[in-house]
């Protein structure tokens, strides 16, 4: 028997899908022959929390190809392996304000404007480790699988279909090669990119991948660190400004979640520190975004206050809860801890210090700690000093090692 909370979440998701089903309009991505053959009425959603809970509804386990939803995750793999500055030598971070397949190159540097458009994504794929297209693609598919918490495979029929209708992407790659932005041959880069876009996923997979970004790069199902916390933050930032192509500004106002769409019908969205969302519905609007996927995320954001810039103070608090264990008080912390959060901790937890017990700061729900704050927290027990009976007045519980100086 599921918990009452699980029943409530399921009811919410079912209701959201029921309201989205009648939404009309949109067309399949028929310029890729294999994508023109999918069932246009498929509709699914999944939500994965940073604690590893996954809730699904509708066609959440129906396979489709990831297409451009792969772009932020491959960017994350590249910056995690090479560092942000090295990647920025080849691709920028600025919104293009143009369609996904536009010729958007910086006039001064020749770099594609960002890694979310096709030109930038092809360049990003060329940066992935491996001297051949096969090696790069294998590294990408493995990385996407670590985000999704399972082994993923390429849909070979879709790959062949994409490779056979790739004139514009090949042209973009040649232009990037001519400017020096592309680090491999055109054939190697585009073949790796087409295989990347042809990876088969589900809405459930996308939600887990997004939750990995929300959790600062740690997969909430496997517990594996897929990328660094910095790489997760940088990737989420680019999704916020560039993820929905030439609708990114409107998306930020109306939905307010870092997101990425793909012409396979998927959309992935991130609520940092909390959860990831994956949706699937194949019919696309003129900008290449899923018509009903957009409707779902707009409704969720409006009804449940998910906009990242409208969170109330109670949602931003680093203190998720306070519990007791005998004489000990346990403060369960969450999200990212920077100066503002530590200031709040000092104010709100001060009354819990003293007496016969110890105040325990439980960092299990913390996704990232700023460098200077990390040092302060590690030294906090010695700064506060012992209780009158000689025991520690404050202690830290850090099962995931977020205070490790190497993180």
């Amino acid at each position: 028997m599921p918990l009452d909370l699980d029943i409530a979440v399921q009811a919410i998701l079912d209701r959201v899908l029921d309201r989205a089903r009648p939404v009309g309009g949109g067309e399949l991505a028929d310029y890729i022959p294999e994508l023109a053959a999918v069932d246009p009425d498929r509709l699914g959603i999944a939500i994965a929390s940073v604690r590893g809970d996954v809730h699904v509804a509708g066609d959440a386990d129906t396979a489709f190809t990831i297409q451009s939803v792969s772009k932020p995750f491959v960017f994350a793999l590249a910056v995690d392996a090479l560092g942000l500055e090295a990647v920025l030598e080849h691709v920028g971070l600025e919104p293009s304000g143009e369609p996904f397949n536009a010729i958007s190159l910086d006039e001064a540097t020749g770099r594609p404007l960002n890694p979310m458009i096709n030109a930038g994504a092809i360049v990003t794929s060329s940066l992935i480790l491996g001297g051949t297209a096969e090696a790069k693609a294998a590294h990408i598919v493995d990385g996407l699988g670590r985000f999704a918490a399972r082994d993923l495979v390429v849909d070979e029929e879709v790959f062949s279909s994409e490779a056979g209708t790739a004139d514009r992407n090949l042209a973009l790659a040649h232009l990037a090669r001519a400017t020096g932005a592309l680090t491999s041959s055109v054939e190697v880069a585009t073949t790796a990119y087409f295989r990347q876009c042809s990876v088969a996923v589900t809405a459930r997979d996308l939600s887990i991948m997004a939750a990995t970004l929300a959790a600062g790069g740690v997969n909430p199902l496997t517990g594996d660190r897929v990328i660094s916390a910095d790489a997760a933050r940088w990737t989420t930032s680019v999704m916020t400004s560039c993820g929905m192509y030439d609708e990114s500004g409107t998306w930020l106002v109306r939905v307010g979640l870092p997101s990425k769409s793909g012409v396979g019908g998927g959309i992935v969205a991130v609520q940092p520190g909390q959860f990831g969302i994956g949706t699937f519905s194949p019919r696309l609007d003129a900008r290449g975004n899923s018509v009903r996927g957009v409707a779902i995320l707009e409704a969720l954001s409006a009804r449940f206050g998910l906009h990242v810039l409208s969170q109330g103070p109670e949602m931003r608090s680093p203190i998720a809860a306070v519990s007791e264990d005998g004489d000990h008080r346990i403060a369960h912390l969450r999200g990212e801890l920077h100066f503002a959060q530590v200031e709040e901790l000092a104010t709100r937890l001060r009354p819990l210090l003293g007496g016969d017990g110890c105040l325990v700061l439980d960092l299990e729900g913390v996704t990232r700690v700023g460098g200077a704050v990390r040092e302060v927290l590690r030294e906090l027990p010695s700064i506060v000093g012992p209780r009158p009976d000689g025991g520690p007045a404050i202690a830290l519980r850090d099962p995931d090692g977020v205070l490790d100086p190497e993180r």
Side-chain angles (χ1 to χ4, degrees), residues 150-350:
R150 73 180 183 96
D151 293 335
L152 300 176
V153 298
V154 173
D155 184 320
E156 296 294 345
E157 292 183 351
V158 173
F159 166 68
S160 297
S161 187
E162 293 213 26
T165 55
D167 290 344
R168 188 171 184 87
N169 283 325
L170 289 169
L172 293 173
H174 278 289
L175 286 173
R177 177 75 175 174
T179 67
L182 197 67
T183 62
S184 68
S185 71
V186 167
E187 181 181 2
V188 166
T190 54
T191 300
Y193 174 68
F194 298 148
R195 295 193 70 78
Q196 160 191 324
C197 291
S198 303
V199 169
V201 294
T202 65
R204 182 192 297 268
D205 293 329
L206 294 188
S207 73
I208 297 167
M209 295 170 78
T212 301
L213 292 178
V218 176
N219 188 298
L221 270 67
T222 65
D224 293 337
R225 175 160 289 285
V226 180
I227 54 171
S228 69
D230 282 338
R233 178 164 48 85
W234 295 329
T235 300
T236 306
S237 299
V238 178
M239 292 171 69
T240 303
S241 61
C242 307
M244 300 300 283
Y245 304 128
D246 47 333
E247 197 174 24
S248 293
T250 301
W251 183 264
L252 183 58
V253 171
R254 295 177 66 88
V255 178
L257 292 174
S259 304
K260 185 70 195 78
S261 61
V263 297
I267 300 179
V268 65
V270 179
Q271 177 63 276
Q274 297 185 44
F275 53 81
I277 304 173
T279 67
F280 170 53
S281 182
R283 289 187 283 109
L284 311 177
D285 62 22
R287 293 179 172 88
N289 299 325
S290 168
V291 171
R292 291 188 295 180
V294 168
I296 288 171
L297 287 162
E298 286 184 349
L300 280 174
S301 180
R303 287 176 60 82
F304 299 103
L306 302 185
H307 199 296
V308 294
L309 299 181
S310 65
Q311 300 297 316
E314 71 282 359
M315 292 301 294
R316 291 197 301 267
S317 172
I319 305 171
V322 176
S323 62
E324 294 187 3
D325 183 4
D327 291 335
H328 298 329
R329 281 80 61 197
I330 305 172
H332 303 272
L333 309 185
R334 64 184 174 190
E336 295 195 0
L337 300 184
H338 299 284
F339 174 80
Q341 288 74 36
V342 171
E343 188 277 333
E344 180 179 348
L345 290 177
T347 301
R348 293 184 59 188
L349 298 180
R350 188 179 296 114

